[in-house]
Amino acid sequence: MIFAYNPKHVSDTLMVITADDKSMKQATERKGNIARLTTEDGRVIGWNFFDISNEMTIEGVGQVQLTDEQFAQLNELVQKAGFEDVLEKDNTPKFVVGLVKTCVPHEDSDHLSVTEIEVDNGEVLQIVCGAANIRKGLKVVVAKPGAMMPDGLLIWPGELRGVESFGMVCSAKELNLANAPMKRGILELPQDAVVGSAFAIGQ
């Protein structure tokens, strides 16, 4: 679940993104200051909370974090508006330290690699990566499905040249880190970086 808020460039609207909506027709049902976005088959993919500053103060711009109290308040607003849905919060970090367990060339590309990356407690994600410096044994920053990059890009499972990919291996520039090197390539972390630990990105 992604929370996005940008009152200066969008509006005083909290956008809650719950699933990938690419290449899907959307339906919108609005009740008061709340709109529910669904696919044609009825799957909920997001919510818009309009004039949200009348209800709560949100810190930050872009992808934002809500307190447990604010999240509970969103559910109260949903119920009061007449929706029967219950929002379920996911507190797991979406930017984490990963360990590249395997790295092989993509069979249908001269620059892509297919990797298996451990991200936490034995969980391994297959990720297709185009960086020249990706290799087995490297510690990297992984944007897991459900992450929002500093530039607004949303990370969801997908395919690259016919191979499934469940995340993104990030460069320092993509993470908007201070003094990010201009050279191309993913960010290489120290070997003592803890696999699965959260990684703080720039905004």
Side-chain angles (χ1 to χ4, degrees):
M1 184 175 291
I2 297 172
F3 302 102
Y5 183 63
N6 193 333
K8 182 177 181 180
H9 296 290
V10 182
S11 67
D12 184 23
T13 301
L14 175 66
M15 294 177 286
V16 181
I17 305 161
T18 59
D20 186 7
D21 62 353
K22 291 186 296 185
S23 303
M24 296 180 183
K25 293 183 178 180
Q26 298 178 10
T28 302
E29 180 181 5
R30 180 166 177 171
K31 296 181 180 182
N33 279 341
I34 300 178
R36 180 178 62 188
L37 286 68
T38 59
T39 58
E40 286 184 302
D41 60 2
R43 185 168 58 93
V44 178
I45 56 176
W47 297 82
N48 288 334
F49 293 81
F50 302 102
D51 299 324
I52 191 64
S53 63
N54 292 335
E55 305 293 342
M56 64 182 69
T57 299
I58 298 177
E59 301 292 338
V61 173
Q63 184 172 13
V64 296
Q65 302 297 322
L66 301 186
T67 65
D68 290 341
E69 290 76 14
Q70 288 175 320
F71 190 76
Q73 189 174 353
L74 289 186
N75 269 316
E76 290 180 5
L77 294 173
V78 167
Q79 298 296 315
K80 288 180 180 178
F83 293 103
E84 296 182 356
D85 307 62
V86 176
L87 306 184
E88 296 183 1
K89 189 177 181 183
D90 178 6
N91 289 318
T92 60
K94 298 304 178 185
F95 293 89
V96 300
V97 175
L99 171 64
V100 182
K101 305 286 286 186
T102 66
C103 180
V104 297
H106 191 298
E107 292 183 355
D108 191 33
S109 172
D110 60 0
H111 71 283
L112 295 176
S113 298
V114 180
T115 68
E116 292 181 324
I117 302 179
E118 182 181 348
V119 291
D120 188 25
N121 292 326
E123 179 188 3
V124 175
L125 299 177
Q126 177 174 283
I127 299 177
V128 180
C129 178
N133 61 325
I134 187 75
R135 62 189 183 274
K136 179 180 178 180
L138 200 63
K139 296 255 180 103
V140 297
V141 179
V142 174
K144 299 172 67 175
M148 175 184 279
M149 302 298 293
D151 65 0
L153 175 69
L154 301 179
I155 305 300
W156 301 111
E159 285 189 4
L160 285 173
R161 297 283 185 91
V163 175
E164 291 184 320
S165 185
F166 298 91
M168 176 177 170
V169 186
C170 305
S171 70
K173 183 177 181 181
E174 289 167 333
L175 295 168
N176 200 27
L177 300 182
N179 303 314
M182 296 305 294
K183 66 178 182 179
R184 301 181 67 179
I186 57 171
L187 178 64
E188 300 185 21
L189 298 178
Q191 282 301 304
D192 60 357
V194 179
V195 173
S197 60
F199 188 92
I201 66 172
Q203 297 292 339

